[in-house]
Amino acid sequence: MTNETLQKHRQELYNHLTNELLPFWTQRAADRVNGGFITHFDQYGNDSGEDEKSLIAQTRSIYTYSSAHRAGYGNGELAELARHGSTTY
C-alpha cells in the first residue's frame, strides 16, 4: 500500500469517526431520565425501548467517551458524557 493510499484511508476513518460515529452516539446515548447510557437502537437510530442496562455496556460507554476525549475529540462533550455515566451508574 502506498503512503497516499494510507493517508486516504486515514482521512476516511477520521471523517467517519468525527462526522458520523461520535455524533450518532453523543446525540442519543445519555439517558437523562434513568441515568447511564441507552445502548439499544433500531435501524433508524431511534431508542429501541429495551431498557436493560448491563454493567459491561455502561462501562464500555464510559471508557469509550473518556478515551476519545483523551485523544482530543469532542471539545469536552465526551468528557461530560463519561462523567454522566460515572456519576449516574
Side-chain angles (χ1 to χ4, degrees):
M1 216 179 255
T2 67
N3 189 39
E4 183 178 318
T5 302
L6 288 173
Q7 289 301 324
K8 178 184 173 198
H9 289 304
R10 183 180 186 278
Q11 188 61 45
E12 287 175 16
L13 290 170
Y14 176 82
N15 287 338
H16 177 65
L17 177 67
T18 59
N19 298 319
E20 297 172 22
L21 190 61
L22 286 174
F24 176 90
W25 288 100
T26 58
Q27 293 168 11
R28 293 170 173 82
D31 185 342
R32 305 284 180 200
V33 175
N34 300 305
F37 299 104
I38 300 166
T39 57
H40 296 87
F41 299 94
D42 67 16
Q43 65 187 1
Y44 304 106
N46 300 312
D47 181 358
S48 70
E50 185 175 336
D51 57 2
E52 179 181 323
K53 294 180 181 174
S54 73
L55 180 60
I56 292 172
Q58 299 303 300
T59 305
R60 279 186 191 142
S61 296
I62 294 167
Y63 175 81
T64 300
Y65 297 133
S66 61
S67 293
H69 168 72
R70 285 192 312 269
Y73 297 100
N75 297 319
E77 181 181 10
L78 298 170
E80 288 301 316
L81 277 171
R83 275 190 215 94
H84 167 80
S86 65
T87 59
T88 60
Y89 213 73

